[in-house]
């Protein structure tokens, strides 16, 4: 009989602690509903197995990896329960063994009966993942013994490549911190550590043939404050890893069945290297290690023979340090402006016969030449190249694997070309993005909005690919860029517990994923974070609030819940809620302007507050129909965003804005009865660097029958200038009072981005938050 064990663990809650008559130690009952969710859990009607201090973990004789696995398991359980277990060759109370037959080497079987526990797998790695499931089934409860219900678990990962990246170029982290990061990956069944080692802002790995890379390139004189504010902290900053230290990290990871994939980002992101060796740049310098964020125009000179030799020399030492199949060469965000005016680069373009066409410029094809040179060298030395999706520009290197970060488009294109792909789209898997809409209460981040639920919702297999093409999607990875992450506590805060949502996309079959069930399963995992002293984010313990326009009743309906059914209290007057405030016990129907605040009240302390300012205009909570489509990427809850009585902040990804791209915005609002109106207010959110521009025209039409419309107001706006600020723009159109039931609002996006912009000639996005009629 297949069932799920639903006895959710709550750390040291009374529900999980049973006192036994023969022992003074409390007994914790294991719960196999862990993260990531096992593929198959079959319970058995047998007596449980009780694990106590002094029990033995057995492993195959002469197998050093399995001995290490046994020692890991003993250490994990000691940390979480205080039990001291022994390890020995042969069978034990817990037996680790090889011999399971499965084509997936990371598969495992975990069997529990009254006699003990057996973890079997085709490989030592599979046994390790069985150990992770076993340890995660035991909530952190000091000085306890553990009752394991009888069960058979059969499990295997969906993807062979399960990655997590850490950028140490912008900010540097110690050896102990890197080891903790690897421990975090191991807990989440992640088996690839992508180590981003070079940047404009710092070179972090010793290359013996080029000692100045670390002597000069690893140190910047100071760091910009905030988001390129023009102000600097005046403090020298730097650090690098010796080759011996890097090998130590490789071994530490390998002991936990994690492969370290190094990245040397080329030919862009190289200003730190150019500061050390200016002759490798197009201008010859002088250069300095960059002190601000962003992407420098100073890149390796592709027309310089020394550059190609430099790349090969660096990669030669990298492959001596890192035994991984893949070596990451970056290939992203390489500005071509220096190449366009560099005599050497233009001579190389001519010599190679490179031409611009509709698909690629000759400079993009020059980048492809550099990437090809790197790949040929790696292939000749028995390694494979992996690079960001920009490596598609100018034609993909023959054997390259693509890491698709700018959405899924690059990955889809590469898979159609029969190249392996690792999906890492920024819209789902960039953990440097904010994880809450309340950014004022958060440490500075690069922007964006990526809550846990959105991470969890990611499905890596694009439906636009055929089943044969889908086979080229080999894995999933999340990335942590560290411009605004200066210390390791913040690293942990940004990735935990979002890493738990990531690992379910990496490991679980799609049909096993369920967000509400995941929220229950994550609580014991968070208890392990606590026990380890890791600085995790607590947003999942806040009130989860849905605000839905009810067009029948003309109300905004507030639906609230918490991960653990903690009581929710709220206020509508903007005051701070607490245990004495109104208790939420069902849908709150809001029919007038208010400031809604909610809080979850728990014995150990209240959650953070949610705050939503709600206003009412004549269009609020009215039926709305779109005549032209909303952009799918930024559709969120759809057209009702425009009539829900809430406006957005400067972050256009929070769900308070919806976008229009390659077509106009055209919406019809049904006021439900003839209503006098004389103005429209429409806000746009502008972020020019992201191709998000202001409206070029807005029009208002009215109708009594929803068939014949009359224009009552119209405004046009000039194309934006480079000097126009990124901000929220307010457009108000006033007109002679008119009575109408139906109102059509038209807004035209920027159809052709101006010539001063990098996206010149392309359509721009238009983001709108609310259509306010009065």
């Amino acid at each position: 009989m297949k069932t799920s064990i639903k006895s959710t663990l709550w750390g040291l809650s009374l529900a999980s602690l049973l006192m036994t008559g023969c022992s003074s130690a409390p007994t914790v009952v294991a719960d196999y509903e862990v993260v990531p969710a096992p593929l198959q859990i079959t319970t058995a009607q047998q007596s449980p197995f009780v694990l106590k201090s002094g029990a033995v973990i057995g492993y195959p004789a002469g197998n050093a990896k399995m001995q290490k696995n046994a020692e890991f398991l003993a250490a994990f359980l000691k940390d979480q329960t205080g039990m001291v277990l022994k390890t020995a060759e042969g069978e034990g109370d817990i037996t680790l063994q090889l011999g399971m037959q499965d084509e997936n080497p990371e598969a495992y079987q975990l069997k529990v009966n009254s006699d003990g526990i057996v973890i079997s797998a085709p490989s030592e790695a599979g046994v390790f993942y069985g150990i992770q499931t076993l340890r995660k089934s035991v909530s952190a409860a000091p000085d306890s013994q553990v009752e394991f219900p009888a069960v058979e678990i059969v499990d295997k990962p969906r993807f062979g490549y399960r990655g997590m990246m850490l950028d140490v170029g912008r900010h540097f982290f110690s050896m102990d911190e890197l080891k903790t990061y690897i421990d975090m990956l191991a807990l989440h069944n992640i088996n690839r550590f992508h180590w981003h080692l070079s940047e404009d802002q710092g070179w972090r790995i010793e290359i013996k043939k080029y000692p100045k890379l670390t002597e000069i390139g690893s140190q910047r004189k100071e760091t910009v404050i905030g988001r390129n504010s023009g102000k600097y902290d005046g403090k020298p900053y730097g650090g690098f890893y010796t080759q011996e230290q890097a090998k130590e990290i490789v071994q530490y990871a390998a002991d936990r069945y994690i492969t370290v994939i190094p990245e040397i980002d080329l030919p862009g992101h190289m200003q730190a290297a150019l500061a050390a060796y200016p002759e490798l740049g197009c201008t010859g310098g002088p250069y300095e290690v960059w002190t601000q964020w962003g992407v420098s125009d100073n890149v390796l000179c592709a027309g310089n023979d020394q550059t190609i030799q430099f790349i090969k020399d660096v990669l030669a030492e990298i492959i001596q340090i890192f035994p991984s199949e893949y070596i990451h060469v970056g290939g992203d965000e390489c500005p071509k402006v220096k190449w366009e005016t560099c005599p050497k680069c233009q001579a190389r373009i001519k010599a190679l016969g490179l031409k611009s066409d509709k698909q690629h410029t000759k400079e993009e094809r020059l980048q492809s030449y550099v990437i090809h040179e790197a790949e040929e060298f790696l292939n000749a030395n028995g390694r494979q190249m992996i690079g960001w999706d920009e490596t598609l520009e100018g034609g993909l290197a023959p054997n390259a694997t693509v890491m698709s970060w700018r959405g899924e488009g690059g990955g889809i294109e590469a898979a159609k070309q029969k190249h392996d792909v690792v999906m890492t789209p920024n819209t789902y898997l960039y953990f440097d993005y904010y994880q809450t809409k309340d950014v004022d209460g958060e440490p500075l981040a690069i922007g964006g909005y990526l809550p846990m639920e959105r991470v969890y919702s990611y499905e890596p297999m694009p439906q636009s690919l055929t089943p044969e093409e889908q086979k080229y999607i080999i894995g999933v990875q999340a990335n942590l860029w560290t411009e605004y992450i200066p210390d390791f506590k913040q690293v942990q805060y940004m990735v935990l517990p979002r890493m738990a949502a990531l690992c379910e996309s990496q490991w679980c079959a799609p049909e096993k994923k369920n967000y509400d069930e995941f929220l229950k399963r994550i609580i014991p995992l968070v208890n392990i974070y606590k026990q380890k002293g890791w600085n995790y984010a607590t947003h999942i313990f806040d009130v989860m609030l849905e605000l839905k326009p009810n067009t029948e009743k003309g109300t905004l309906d507030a639906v609230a819940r918490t991960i653990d059914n903690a009581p929710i209290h709220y206020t509508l007057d903007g005051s701070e809620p607490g245990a004495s405030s109104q208790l939420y016990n069902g849908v709150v129907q809001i029919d007038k302007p208010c400031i809604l605040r909610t809080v979850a009240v728990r014995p150990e302390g209240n959650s953070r507050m949610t705050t939503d300012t709600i206003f009412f205009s004549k269009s609020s909570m009215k039926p709305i129909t779109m005549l032209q489509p909303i952009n799918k990427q930024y559709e969120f809850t759809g057209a009702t965003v425009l009539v829900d009585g809430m406006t957005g902040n400067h972050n256009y990804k929070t769900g308070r804005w919806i976008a229009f791209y390659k077509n106009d915005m055209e919406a019809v609002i049904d006021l439900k009865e003839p209503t006098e109106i004389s103005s429209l207010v429409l806000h746009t959110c502008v972020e020019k660097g992201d191709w998000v521009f202001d409206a070029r025209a807005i029009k208002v039409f009215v109708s009594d029958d929803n068939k014949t419309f009359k224009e009552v107001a119209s405004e046009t706006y000039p194309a934006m200038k480079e000097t126009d600020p990124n901000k929220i723009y307010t457009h108000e159109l006033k007109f002679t009072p008119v009575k109408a039931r139906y109102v059509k609002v038209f807004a035209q996006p920027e159809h052709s981005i101006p010539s001063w912009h990098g996206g010149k000639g392309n359509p721009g996005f238009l983001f709108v938050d609310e259509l306010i009629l009065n």
Side-chain angles (χ1 to χ4, degrees):
M1 179 183 68
K2 294 179 182 176
T3 64
S4 292
I5 298 172
K6 298 296 183 185
S7 54
T8 305
L9 292 178
W10 290 95
L12 301 178
S13 67
L14 290 175
S16 66
L17 296 178
L18 306 172
M19 295 303 293
T20 60
C22 58
S23 171
S24 61
T27 300
V28 177
V29 179
D31 184 342
Y32 305 118
E33 295 286 351
V34 300
V35 175
L39 185 63
Q40 181 180 314
I41 301 175
T42 307
T43 59
Q45 301 303 314
Q46 297 179 25
S47 300
F49 173 70
V50 178
L51 183 68
K52 304 175 182 177
S53 277
V56 175
I57 303 171
Y59 59 89
N63 188 321
K65 288 184 177 180
M66 291 291 270
Q67 180 179 357
K68 176 78 77 173
N69 279 344
E71 291 166 353
F72 277 137
L73 178 56
F76 295 149
L77 292 177
K78 184 174 187 294
D79 284 348
Q80 289 166 221
T81 67
M83 279 192 297
V84 178
L85 305 181
K86 301 172 184 176
T87 63
E89 294 182 344
E91 295 184 358
D93 300 287
I94 301 175
T95 300
L96 311 180
Q97 65 185 29
L98 301 174
M100 176 187 174
Q101 298 300 308
D102 196 290
E103 62 184 18
N104 189 327
E106 294 178 309
Y108 68 88
Q109 180 191 60
L110 193 162
K111 293 185 74 171
V112 180
N113 59 33
S114 58
D115 296 327
I117 300 170
V118 178
I119 299 175
S120 308
S123 72
E124 292 87 354
V127 170
F128 184 76
Y129 296 121
I131 286 169
Q132 293 301 331
T133 293
L134 193 69
R135 85 181 273 205
K136 284 180 279 195
S137 74
V138 181
S139 191
D143 303 318
S144 59
Q145 55 191 25
V146 185
E147 180 183 295
F148 290 95
V151 74
E152 180 178 343
I153 296 173
V154 178
D155 197 13
K156 67 179 74 174
R158 182 184 185 190
F159 291 102
Y161 184 113
R162 303 183 301 281
M164 186 74 216
M165 186 277 282
L166 180 63
D167 162 25
V168 299
R170 275 62 173 240
H171 282 102
F172 179 80
F173 303 99
S174 72
M175 291 287 288
D176 285 345
E177 290 167 342
L178 288 179
K179 290 176 181 179
T180 298
Y181 195 74
I182 290 166
D183 290 341
M184 290 156 54
L185 269 55
L187 178 66
H188 295 87
N189 294 21
I190 292 171
N191 66 358
R192 298 290 191 279
F193 170 38
H194 174 176
W195 198 4
H196 185 84
L197 288 162
S198 66
E199 259 311 328
D200 291 320
Q201 295 84 5
W203 184 282
R204 303 291 177 220
I205 183 71
E206 175 190 24
I207 301 296
K208 292 179 178 176
K209 189 167 183 178
Y210 296 91
K212 292 180 185 177
L213 286 173
T214 47
E215 290 171 10
I216 297 172
S218 70
Q219 305 290 322
R220 57 178 180 261
K221 67 180 182 182
E222 59 187 355
T223 304
V224 70
I225 296 170
R227 292 198 183 93
N228 288 343
S229 63
K231 299 176 182 178
Y232 294 81
D233 63 10
K235 300 174 184 176
Y237 185 91
F240 68 91
Y241 309 97
T242 66
Q243 293 193 5
E244 288 307 308
Q245 287 176 316
K247 289 175 182 177
E248 184 181 332
I249 293 298
V250 167
Q251 186 58 53
Y252 189 88
D255 287 343
R256 291 150 183 81
Y257 305 94
I258 294 169
T259 301
V260 181
I261 297 177
E263 180 183 358
I264 302 297
D265 202 347
L266 60 93
H269 292 270
M270 273 282 174
Q271 187 159 318
L274 295 181
Y277 296 95
E279 65 272 18
L280 299 176
C282 290
T283 67
Y287 307 99
E288 65 173 12
V289 180
W290 223 21
T291 56
Q292 66 185 67
W293 308 129
V295 181
S296 171
D297 289 344
N298 293 309
V299 303
L300 293 177
C301 178
N304 188 341
D305 290 337
Q306 283 180 275
T307 293
I308 302 302
Q309 191 58 47
F310 169 78
I311 290 170
K312 293 178 179 179
D313 290 341
V314 168
L315 292 178
E317 294 195 33
I318 290 294
I319 62 178
Q320 293 302 312
I321 304 167
F322 298 95
S324 55
E325 174 192 6
Y326 283 122
I327 304 294
H328 204 301
V329 301
D332 65 316
E333 297 178 324
C334 179
K336 313 297 191 294
V337 290
K338 301 295 185 188
W339 291 359
E340 290 169 1
T341 58
C342 172
K344 287 184 180 180
C345 289
Q346 292 302 311
R348 178 82 73 192
I349 286 169
K350 186 174 181 181
L352 294 170
L354 304 179
K355 305 288 186 186
S356 296
D357 58 26
K358 290 181 180 179
Q359 287 185 305
H360 303 293
T361 66
K362 60 185 188 296
E363 285 78 21
E364 285 176 339
R365 296 196 182 281
L366 182 61
Q367 173 166 322
S368 184
Y369 155 76
V370 175
I371 298 295
H372 274 256
E373 289 287 317
E375 189 196 28
E376 283 183 13
F377 178 82
L378 290 172
N379 290 167
N381 285 275
R383 305 301 181 89
Q384 294 297 315
M385 188 198 91
I386 189 168
W388 302 110
D389 55 59
E390 285 96 332
T391 55
L392 289 161
E393 294 171 1
L396 194 56
N399 303 308
T401 296
V402 169
M403 199 167 267
S404 186
W405 74 275
R406 296 178 299 178
E408 294 186 317
I412 291 169
E413 182 182 339
K416 288 180 180 291
Q417 295 180 25
K418 296 183 166 51
H419 286 270
D420 286 345
V421 174
V422 175
M423 284 297 194
T424 178
N426 58 340
T427 47
Y428 290 94
L429 299 175
Y430 266 41
F431 288 177
D432 51 332
Y433 286 9
Y434 285 110
Q435 46 198 322
T436 175
K437 296 176 184 179
D438 180 21
V439 299
D440 291 339
E442 292 292 295
L444 184 66
I446 200 164
Y449 174 54
L450 192 58
M452 174 82 98
E453 188 168 7
R454 183 164 175 80
V455 177
Y456 193 82
S457 73
Y458 182 55
E459 168 47 47
M461 208 62 83
Q463 293 304 304
S464 60
L465 296 178
T466 66
E468 189 61 32
E469 291 166 341
Q470 287 182 349
K471 293 176 183 176
Y472 290 98
I473 309 297
I474 63 167
V476 183
Q477 176 173 297
N479 301 325
L480 186 68
W481 304 101
T482 62
E483 288 95 331
Y484 305 105
I485 304 176
D487 60 63
F488 191 67
K489 283 292 184 186
Q490 195 173 341
V491 166
Q492 292 180 322
Y493 180 82
M494 298 304 281
V495 303
L496 298 177
R498 287 190 286 191
M499 196 183 282
L502 162 72
C503 81
E504 293 236 332
S505 290
Q506 294 173 329
W507 184 277
C508 297
E511 62 272 15
K512 290 294 294 184
K513 291 182 66 181
N514 177 294
Y515 187 64
D516 288 337
E517 292 298 319
F518 166 75
L519 289 177
K520 297 173 186 175
R521 288 185 281 108
I522 202 174
I523 295 170
L525 188 64
V526 168
N527 285 335
I528 294 177
Y529 298 166
K530 288 181 188 175
Q531 177 261 321
K532 300 293 286 183
W534 295 346
N535 183 41
Y536 62 95
T538 61
H539 302 93
I540 56 168
F541 295 99
D542 296 345
V543 176
M544 291 176 275
L545 188 63
E546 288 184 84
L547 298 169
K548 303 176 181 177
N550 183 333
T551 57
E552 286 187 20
K553 296 185 177 180
T555 60
L556 185 68
D557 292 354
V559 181
R561 62 191 176 107
T562 56
I563 188 174
D564 55 351
N565 297 318
I568 299 166
H569 294 262
Y570 70 93
T571 61
L572 294 170
D573 61 1
S575 61
E576 184 172 326
S580 60
S581 303
Q582 180 72 38
L583 177 67
Y584 174 85
N585 56 15
V587 178
V588 178
Q589 294 192 321
I590 298 167
D591 60 3
K592 55 181 177 289
C594 68
I595 299 175
L596 170 65
R597 286 183 147 186
T598 73
V599 69
V601 175
R602 299 183 176 92
E604 63 271 25
N606 294 353
S607 72
R608 280 170 301 203
M609 282 185 300
T610 71
T611 302
D612 291 281
T613 300
I614 299 150
F615 67 89
F616 277 73
S617 73
K618 291 180 179 179
S619 50
S620 300
M621 322 311 159
K622 297 298 193 297
I624 183 169
T625 304
M626 302 307 300
L627 301 184
Q628 296 198 47
I630 304 166
N631 176 256
K632 287 293 181 187
Q633 187 177 355
Y634 300 106
E635 187 174 27
F636 300 108
T637 55
T640 56
V641 169
L642 299 178
V643 292
D644 63 5
M646 294 178 287
T647 54
N649 60 21
H650 293 277
N651 186 347
Y652 61 80
K653 297 177 181 177
T654 62
R656 291 285 167 82
W657 301 89
I658 56 174
F660 301 88
Y661 182 63
K662 297 185 178 179
N663 59 260
D664 302 321
M665 186 205 83
E666 199 170 5
V668 174
I669 300 166
D670 179 1
L671 299 177
K672 302 185 83 170
E673 61 184 13
T675 304
E676 185 174 274
I677 56 171
S678 60
S679 70
L680 165 76
V681 173
L682 181 151
H683 303 114
T684 62
C685 185
V686 171
E687 191 65 51
K688 301 192 301 296
D690 294 348
W691 296 25
V692 179
F693 282 75
D694 195 12
R696 293 298 305 277
I698 300 173
K699 298 178 182 179
V700 182
F701 305 82
V702 296
S703 171
D704 295 321
D705 59 5
N706 202 19
K707 295 177 182 176
T708 304
F709 282 87
K710 180 179 75 170
E711 183 178 311
V712 294
S714 176
E715 291 283 354
T716 59
Y717 308 96
M720 297 196 79
K721 302 187 292 293
E722 190 170 4
T723 54
D724 289 333
N726 291 329
K727 66 173 189 177
I728 296 171
Y729 287 79
T730 300
H731 300 286
E732 183 174 16
L733 279 68
K734 293 184 176 181
F735 44 90
T736 303
V738 60
K739 212 173 220 189
R741 174 171 174 176
Y742 298 96
V743 182
K744 179 164 66 174
V745 180
F746 167 93
Q748 179 188 318
E750 178 57 77
H751 288 170
S752 181
I753 292 175
S755 59
W756 53 261
H757 191 278
K760 61 185 178 184
N762 289 288
F765 286 88
L766 175 69
F767 277 83
V768 180
D769 63 350
E770 192 78 4
L771 303 178
I772 303 167
L773 292 172
N774 278 310

